Amino acid sequence: MSAAAIGEPLTRVDGRAKVTGAAKYAAEFEVPHAAHAVMVTSTVASGRITRMDTTAAERSPGVVTIMTPANAPRLPNNGRAAVNPPAGRVLQLLQDAEVHYNNQPIAVVVAETLNQALLAAALIDVRYQSTPPKLDFQAGFPAAHVGKNKIPSMLSEGDVAQGFAAAEVTVEQIYTTPKQNHNPMEPHGTIASWDGELLTLHDATQYIFGVKQTVAKTLGIPEDNVRVLCPYTGGGFGSKGSTWSHVVLAAMAAKVAKRPVKLVLERPQMFGPVGGRPETYQHIVLGAKRDGTLTAIRHDCYSHVSTVEDFVEPSSSQTRMLYAAPVITTSQKLVSLNVGTPTFQRAPGEATGTFALEIAMDELAVALNMDPVALRLKNYAEADPTSHKPFSSKHLRECYEQGAGRFGWSKRNPAPRSHREGNLLIGYGMATATYPANRSESQAAVRFEPNGRVTVLSGTQDLGTGTYTIMAQVAAAKLGLPITLVDAKLGDTRQPQGPVSGGSQTAASVTPAVQAAAEQAVLKLVTLEISNPGSPFYGALPEELDFKEGKLLRRSAPASGIPFTEIVGRNGGAAVEAKASAKPSQDVEEYSQHSWGAVFAEVAVDESLGMPHVRRLTAVYDVGTLLNEKTGKSQLIGGLVWAQSLALEEETHIDPTTGRPVNNNLAEYHMPVNLDIGALDVSALGTPDKNFEPLGGRGIGEIGITGASAAIANAIYHATGKRFRDAPITPDKLLA
Ligand code: MOS
């Protein structure tokens, strides 16, 4: 087998383990003597618990312990000691009797078996003093507040009044997107086991080091006393980026029960206690000259938060950088509701923000009688219009051109309702996709094993994105080895520290560290050999040597290589390992760093049934180097499918009286299934962005969900002549 190459569409190295069930997810680990815990959650949205009678539950068979606000271990700072770390949230850890949302954790029942725990949990009698919950999003606008966040809540570029005064055509509309919940296939789950003062957590997470830090701080124990393991994450999409209540509750319960405890959330508990995407209300005003030149953009956003903690869904983010308007003004305001705290959900900000902005741009194109692609090219930003920095790399123009060509955009008759096939109205729509390129410091290690294999390690996560494969592929490519000789290991806080797998940053953060570690490991082999009298390289200068295809060789005599196993053997037979760290250089800050894409949609709408069907999506992305064409495209495809879900199906319904999520299951929480998905034509330009990271790759996990929902909405307008501005565009709206 030949050496692995960057970009090669290698099959994921963990694929077989996953489909055969050999891959172990957090809750599947067999921890001896583990008891089963279930979380009891509130049935009111606001108020306090006045009485919790556990008498019957305690007598129920198999019960080990019941933890309530009355008897739960007291935590430092009422369980809020870790609210500051990156992953730290305001948690519900049974430290008081307050209820802030319906479905809030209020007790934990531990029993010998899961069924016994469930039965006992049902026997707990809870009484509340209920107060009227705040559940009406729009009613909260007058009292909306500005959140604490990295993202500035208000920003104006240029003279706003002048910008709109200069406009000859104006589009002003309101766009909304609903509450959503991530619902990865693998629910959140934790197994906590104590060995004296040492805590081991098997946890379903996107951030093992964040869990380690948050749990240690919350419990008031040294960080080094906590080990977190997560070899596989069954999807996360942002919900597993933070440490939520159940993780700490499992650790507390295990301490009380004096034995390991396994706590897995039931599907309905995925709606509230572990975040979700907040509802948005977005007011957009676009001002333009008759020729399409934008004179001003206004984008004011409201999103909801819980009553305990702020989270900003920055839907105005892309509006600050996407089009070259001289005036750009944006704002973000928050409305507190008695619901679970929202969090990052795939492309937080850009997913909802591009839905609004890119429909508004379509409306402007209609108002100007201009082609939507031409309007975007007219306002193409050559540099970031608000930071005024150059882009690290931008080839969006090629995305529009290639996308339009592949899709057959030129065949589109711009008149709405101009294309009919019997009962079906056919529409074409397009939109721009964009997402920031993120990267942070990461460590990795590379180890030459005595058996001739190479191990690459980093304490990161693979949430189904292909991290194992990319780590092995980049190490193999660097060392000139086939990928079959490289084993990737991740998901253990004893490994070199990796960053959170959020913000599409894992590959761009971890692979530079893998490359650096591979270089350092080779250097170790070299150092060992040139100082070893028993080596043929004894006394050589490092620069005279090279490492190719698993062999150390003299550059002057490349045929005379020595396999690394021989070197390992010569040095006592212990693996030769090196660790390295990589972080973005200071220069990166001189650039505005983003990925780009153009999405084209064909939608057929059955006029009498109001049923939309997305027949095909063509998407062309500029995401820098695609490190692995197969796993990379899978990410982009997954994003597009979710964009269709955002446009047409997905919504968490909260009962307006009780605050209970009513469609809290995968039958009623609608999302596309195979039958709903049409032809997907996804490609990436592959132009490296060396200003961003050494291999030139930017993240790909999130950009797929951006823009595409607007392309679908715009295609529905083109098909039907009716404009829809509220996601999801469901048949009832289409028939109205
Ligand atoms: Mo992603 S929403 O940053 O996990």
Side-chain angles (χ1 to χ4, degrees):
M1 207 177 168
S2 58
I6 301 297
E8 207 179 334
L10 292 169
T11 295
R12 57 178 68 223
V13 296
D14 51 338
R16 175 173 288 270
K18 282 188 167 172
V19 297
T20 56
K24 268 199 185 166
Y25 291 83
E28 295 181 318
F29 281 83
E30 301 283 341
V31 176
H33 202 50
H36 295 261
V38 300
M39 220 162 63
V40 179
T41 63
S42 65
T43 55
V44 303
S46 173
R48 62 193 326 272
I49 299 161
T50 52
R51 199 170 71 97
M52 205 179 245
D53 186 349
T54 56
T55 322
E58 275 158 26
R59 287 200 204 108
S60 188
V63 168
V64 174
T65 189
I66 298 176
M67 212 165 61
T68 70
N71 68 358
R74 295 299 107 187
L75 301 173
N77 197 13
N78 279 328
R80 290 194 176 206
V83 168
N84 284 326
R89 313 298 301 231
V90 176
L91 302 176
Q92 285 75 56
L93 301 174
L94 317 182
Q95 301 298 296
D96 57 46
E98 304 299 316
V99 175
H100 306 285
Y101 61 96
N102 200 318
N103 217 15
Q104 173 192 311
I106 55 168
V108 173
V109 176
V110 183
E112 295 294 337
T113 70
L114 177 59
N115 280 338
Q116 288 171 335
L118 285 166
L119 176 64
L123 295 174
I124 299 180
D125 184 16
V126 189
R127 300 297 160 94
Y128 304 91
Q129 186 178 35
S130 201
T131 48
K134 284 186 281 181
L135 295 167
D136 189 333
F137 179 46
Q138 295 194 19
F141 289 178
H145 65 284
V146 167
K148 288 189 221 77
N149 196 282
K150 282 191 299 196
I151 296 124
S153 54
M154 313 250 176
L155 186 142
S156 283
E157 182 67 30
D159 183 326
V160 178
Q162 212 172 55
F164 283 108
E168 292 166 340
V169 176
T170 303
V171 163
E172 175 168 12
Q173 293 294 348
I174 305 293
Y175 305 86
T176 68
T177 64
K179 292 184 185 71
Q180 297 182 342
N181 289 90
H182 314 68
N183 280 297
M185 289 281 280
E186 177 206 32
H188 292 240
T190 307
I191 304 173
S193 31
W194 290 90
D195 177 4
E197 294 306 306
L198 302 182
L199 173 65
T200 300
L201 296 168
H202 288 89
D203 188 39
T205 178
Q206 291 171 236
Y207 192 15
I208 51 174
F209 280 91
V211 173
K212 176 185 162 104
Q213 188 183 40
T214 302
V215 171
K217 284 200 175 178
T218 305
L219 298 179
I221 61 175
E223 274 182 40
D224 285 344
N225 287 11
V226 182
R227 180 186 188 187
V228 182
L229 295 156
C230 182
Y232 295 95
T233 307
F237 316 112
S239 73
K240 292 172 183 163
S242 308
T243 306
W244 298 101
S245 306
H246 66 276
V247 183
V248 183
L249 290 172
M252 290 161 68
K255 192 87 178 176
V256 172
K258 296 189 174 63
R259 59 191 277 195
V261 161
K262 177 190 291 199
L263 198 169
V264 179
L265 299 200
E266 297 163 55
R267 185 58 62 179
Q269 295 178 338
M270 300 287 286
F271 292 76
V274 290
R277 196 192 294 283
E279 190 169 356
T280 73
Y281 175 102
Q282 304 177 51
H283 175 213
I284 293 186
V285 192
L286 301 178
K289 295 282 189 192
R290 286 249 165 257
D291 70 354
T293 308
L294 285 164
T295 61
I297 308 179
R298 169 179 287 283
H299 192 170
D300 296 310
C301 308
Y302 289 93
S303 61
H304 85 261
V305 290
S306 68
T307 57
V308 297
E309 188 180 356
D310 282 350
F311 167 79
V312 179
E313 168 85 10
S315 304
S316 63
S317 295
Q318 75 292 316
T319 306
R320 298 180 192 283
M321 46 60 69
L322 196 48
Y323 297 112
V327 170
I328 296 176
T329 177
T330 60
S331 72
Q332 297 280 156
K333 284 188 184 162
L334 303 175
V335 175
S336 301
L337 299 179
N338 287 107
V339 296
T341 304
T343 193
F344 327 98
Q345 186 165 324
R346 205 173 198 173
E350 288 79 6
T352 49
T354 52
F355 175 79
L357 179 65
E358 289 297 290
I359 297 177
M361 285 295 281
D362 201 65
E363 300 203 56
L364 181 61
V366 171
L368 293 165
N369 195 18
M370 194 170 174
D371 180 81
V373 178
L375 175 63
R376 285 161 174 89
L377 289 172
K378 185 90 194 166
N379 295 286
Y380 195 84
E382 299 291 353
D384 189 312
T386 58
S387 76
H388 305 289
K389 292 177 183 177
F391 292 114
S392 59
S393 175
K394 180 177 181 180
H395 298 274
L396 177 57
R397 202 174 263 119
E398 291 96 307
C399 296
Y400 291 132
E401 280 161 10
Q402 290 189 20
R406 294 177 80 104
F407 182 80
W409 183 252
S410 62
K411 294 193 207 83
R412 177 183 187 258
N413 175 341
R417 302 181 68 86
S418 57
H419 187 168
R420 180 185 281 276
E421 291 174 15
N423 218 25
L424 299 176
L425 294 167
I426 314 299
Y428 286 7
M430 64 80 56
T432 311
T434 189
Y435 189 76
N438 296 310
R439 185 188 160 194
S440 54
E441 183 165 9
S442 177
Q443 301 176 344
V446 165
R447 199 155 73 201
F448 290 106
E449 306 283 358
N451 65 2
R453 301 188 65 80
V454 170
T455 307
V456 52
L457 307 98
S458 180
T460 180
Q461 304 73 216
D462 188 334
L463 37 160
T465 47
T467 311
Y468 276 109
T469 311
I470 289 292
M471 280 171 61
Q473 185 167 1
V474 168
K478 184 83 187 167
L479 298 169
L481 295 170
I483 194 170
T484 48
L485 281 181
V486 180
D487 301 305
K489 297 214 164 115
L490 51 77
D492 183 345
T493 51
R494 289 193 180 164
Q495 292 158 344
Q497 184 162 352
V500 59
S501 289
S504 301
Q505 69 175 304
T506 307
S509 302
V510 174
T511 57
V514 167
Q515 287 197 306
E519 272 171 32
Q520 291 304 312
V522 167
L523 196 61
K524 264 202 175 167
L525 293 179
V526 169
T527 310
L528 287 170
E529 286 297 274
I530 61 179
S531 58
N532 188 336
S535 162
F537 302 121
Y538 180 59
L541 295 171
E543 52 271 28
E544 291 169 356
L545 305 182
D546 198 4
F547 188 84
K548 283 209 170 109
E549 295 174 18
K551 290 177 184 165
L552 197 63
L553 48 85
R554 271 182 208 275
R555 289 179 198 272
S556 56
S560 64
I562 291 188
F564 70 78
T565 43
E566 202 179 309
I567 302 170
V568 171
R570 211 180 345 263
N571 287 280
V576 173
E577 175 177 328
K579 192 170 131 175
S581 177
K583 63 177 177 189
S585 71
Q586 293 286 305
D587 308 347
V588 172
E589 288 310 310
E590 290 167 21
Y591 299 100
S592 178
Q593 306 149 40
H594 299 270
S595 277
W596 316 94
V599 189
F600 296 80
E602 177 180 336
V603 179
V605 179
D606 184 316
E607 218 184 356
S608 27
L609 297 175
M611 289 296 290
H613 176 57
V614 181
R615 284 180 161 181
R616 58 194 183 100
L617 292 172
T618 296
V620 178
Y621 294 101
D622 168 20
V623 289
T625 306
L626 205 52
L627 297 180
N628 177 316
E629 205 191 326
K630 189 186 266 187
T631 57
K633 277 192 183 172
S634 292
Q635 284 298 298
L636 297 167
I637 287 169
L640 284 171
V641 169
W642 208 343
Q644 180 172 328
S645 189
L646 192 159
L648 302 179
E649 304 205 35
E650 202 175 329
E651 173 167 17
T652 301
H653 295 275
I654 301 280
D655 181 280
T657 310
T658 64
R660 191 83 180 157
V662 289
N663 56 338
N664 58 4
N665 55 73
L666 295 186
E668 293 163 291
Y669 186 82
H670 279 204
M671 63 196 108
V673 296
N674 279 352
L675 195 59
D676 296 313
I677 303 300
L680 299 174
D681 172 21
V682 179
S683 55
L685 302 179
T687 318
D689 182 353
K690 300 272 178 153
N691 288 328
F692 177 65
E693 67 101 8
L695 289 170
R698 294 189 299 255
I700 45 174
E702 290 166 276
I703 190 171
I705 194 175
T706 73
S709 63
I712 291 167
N714 295 339
I716 290 176
Y717 167 78
H718 183 234
T720 64
K722 282 195 264 184
R723 184 60 77 176
F724 297 93
R725 303 180 182 93
D726 304 299
I729 306 166
T730 43
D732 55 312
K733 294 175 187 168
L734 277 157
L735 282 176

